[in-house]
Amino acid sequence: MRISNTVSEALAASMPVVALESTIISHGLPYPQNIAAAKEFEQQLIDEGVTPATIGIIDGVPIIGLSQEQLEQIAKEGTAKASVRDLPIIAAKKINGATTVAATAYLAAKAGIRVFATGGLGGVHKGAIETFDESADLTTLATSPVVVVSAGVKSVLDISATLERLETLSIPLVGYKTDIFPSFWLPTSDFTLDWSVNSAKEVADIVASQDELGSKAALLIANPVPTNKAWNQEDHDRVLEKAFAAAKKAGVRGKAVTPFLLSYIVGASEGVSLEVNLELVRNNIFVAGEISKALSGGRK
Ligand code: PSU
Ligand code: MN
């Protein structure tokens, strides 16, 4: 893997760095909004005094801190979706790849980056009892020591089963200024959380404790989309039901399931879900930036 000069200098100086994933760019958001968003997310961190490190694979090499030109390559249609198990294959084939939450967390941890902002985590899909469809995000986060800020998981997933699996995998989960697990476009769900924190400093204290205890797990920060930016519940429920039925009808399986649902929902909501998606990522990036500053002793 290769770490960009900007990122390696920031890490060497213990300055705040936040990792960003690239599957959200290639498969989570439609072109051309995806490339504009990728650049905007990085600029937001820079404006907050944090070094962004968008992670992706160029010609088989995992890059920690993609250049603007490399971001554009990743945003192009046809980029392979790369989870952890795909990394060696993509490396040998020397092709480009967009890293999922799992692969990004794995590579960020390897690079020594402690904080990672994304939109939503993968999890246990509805019907998993028959399909066995559970995202590798879950198992990978059990062994990737990185703080992951997300807006929870989408209600296209089985939230209850996802929360149970996080417990089994011993992955700590805290709500950020909330006691309720958020469900991506909505700030709430039917599920309460055991723990919550009210500041970035509290998160930094938990990370310090994880290190002292020798924990190798991630720390999940569930950060709800601001209420005034959230999707309206009725439209949300209606569109999701349609999306779920469409996926079933199309017979999509494996790693195609999540991208199928995401793009279907953007179309069926006439772009509303996309706006909310962008807002919640901005909100996660802000919190991740605060956490990375708290972890590096508040240095800018
Ligand atoms: N959830 C989202 N947006 C996304 C993804 C998930 O709300 O873009 C992407 C992330 O990259 C995540 C991946 O890691 O989908 C999970 O895919 P799968 O369910 O195939 O593991
Ligand atoms: Mn899957």
Side-chain angles (χ1 to χ4, degrees):
M1 96 187 167
R2 196 180 306 138
I3 307 181
S4 77
N5 289 341
T6 322
V7 173
S8 67
E9 280 163 23
L11 288 172
S14 298
M15 307 279 259
V17 176
V18 168
L20 300 168
E21 61 150 318
S22 46
T23 291
I24 190 177
I25 304 168
S26 64
H27 294 74
L29 300 168
Y31 186 86
Q33 286 99 329
N34 61 351
I35 181 65
K39 291 180 179 175
E40 182 208 309
F41 296 156
E42 291 207 337
Q43 192 58 46
Q44 185 187 335
L45 285 168
I46 293 167
D47 292 346
E48 290 167 18
V50 176
T51 301
T54 307
I55 295 179
I57 307 164
I58 299 290
D59 299 330
V61 182
I63 308 288
I64 316 298
L66 293 166
S67 67
Q68 300 281 299
E69 193 198 353
Q70 290 171 330
L71 275 179
E72 284 178 26
Q73 278 179 260
I74 296 279
K76 280 191 201 139
E77 208 177 324
T79 302
K81 173 176 167 182
S83 192
V84 175
R85 73 167 187 165
D86 306 302
L87 296 175
I89 300 171
I90 288 173
K93 289 190 180 292
K94 299 187 169 43
I95 59 173
N96 293 349
T99 51
T100 62
V101 168
T104 306
Y106 175 86
L107 293 167
K110 241 176 146 39
I113 300 175
R114 295 305 301 260
V115 188
F116 164 25
T118 184
L121 302 176
V124 180
H125 284 255
K126 284 183 178 161
I129 197 151
E130 278 167 12
T131 62
F132 274 64
D133 192 353
E134 172 185 336
S135 176
D137 288 357
L138 298 185
T139 47
T140 303
L141 291 171
T143 53
S144 303
V146 58
V147 179
V148 184
V149 183
S150 78
V153 300
K154 298 198 167 79
S155 31
V156 285
L157 299 182
D158 184 335
I159 298 181
S160 173
T162 301
L163 292 173
E164 293 295 345
R165 288 291 290 149
L166 289 173
E167 182 184 356
T168 305
L169 292 164
S170 297
I171 303 170
L173 167 66
V174 298
Y176 198 78
K177 301 180 181 171
T178 183
D179 291 317
I180 301 173
F181 189 65
S183 55
F184 198 76
W185 299 289
L186 302 175
T188 62
S189 69
D190 293 337
F191 302 92
T192 54
L193 291 164
D194 291 342
W195 303 103
S196 71
V197 293
N198 284 308
S199 67
K201 165 76 170 66
E202 269 190 84
V203 176
D205 290 344
I206 298 172
V207 172
S209 302
Q210 283 185 299
D211 287 350
E212 282 175 36
L213 290 161
S215 164
K216 291 280 170 271
L219 170 59
L220 301 187
I221 310 298
N223 185 37
V225 65
T227 317
N228 62 344
K229 307 261 168 75
W231 200 359
N232 131 336
Q233 174 102 44
E234 277 144 49
D235 292 346
H236 165 275
D237 293 354
R238 184 176 46 80
V239 169
L240 261 66
E241 197 169 317
K242 274 172 67 181
F244 195 57
K248 216 169 182 174
K249 191 163 169 225
V252 277
R253 54 171 291 278
K255 68 201 244 181
V257 173
T258 299
F260 177 94
L261 291 170
L262 297 179
S263 95
Y264 184 94
I265 291 166
V266 171
S269 71
E270 288 163 353
V272 175
S273 72
L274 177 59
E275 278 314 307
V276 180
N277 193 342
L278 294 173
E279 287 293 355
L280 66 87
V281 177
R282 292 178 186 122
N283 189 45
N284 293 340
I285 287 174
F286 174 75
V287 169
E290 295 294 299
I291 294 169
S292 71
K293 288 184 211 170
L295 277 169
S296 55
R299 267 194 281 174
K300 280 243 168 174

